Amino acid sequence: MEEALITAGIALIFIGMVLLIAGALAAGKSNVKFAVGGFIGPFPFGFANSEEMLKLVLLLTLFALIFFTLFMLGGRHV
């Protein structure tokens, strides 16, 4: 079961990369805005090509940090 989930996760990552490359090639010279965010340890970070997208991705990563912190502190221990 765990091996199937790992395989499915890796497959989804590769499918996402293929779709991203296909979308970038199909877009040509259109005005596309993008943003990427994540965590390095407990610190959220983000990269974007527009200021409003950067604010959005940082807000979403901050929300995720708060959610996961509350989940870990308030979760039931089995």
Side-chain angles (χ1 to χ4, degrees):
M1 178 72 175
E2 292 175 4
E3 295 163 356
L5 288 175
I6 291 172
T7 305
I10 292 172
L12 285 174
I13 290 171
F14 282 119
I15 291 170
M17 289 169 37
V18 167
L19 289 174
L20 182 68
I21 292 169
L25 293 175
K29 295 195 178 214
S30 65
N31 186 13
V32 178
K33 295 181 180 179
F34 72 93
V36 177
F39 294 97
I40 297 179
F43 305 108
F45 71 92
F47 301 102
N49 66 349
S50 69
E51 187 175 344
E52 60 267 2
M53 291 295 288
L54 180 62
K55 288 178 183 177
L56 177 66
V57 77
L58 287 178
L59 181 68
L60 289 173
T61 55
L62 206 59
F63 175 74
L65 177 67
I66 292 168
F67 175 77
F68 288 125
T69 302
L70 291 175
F71 179 75
M72 293 301 292
L73 292 177
R76 293 189 323 179
H77 299 286
V78 178

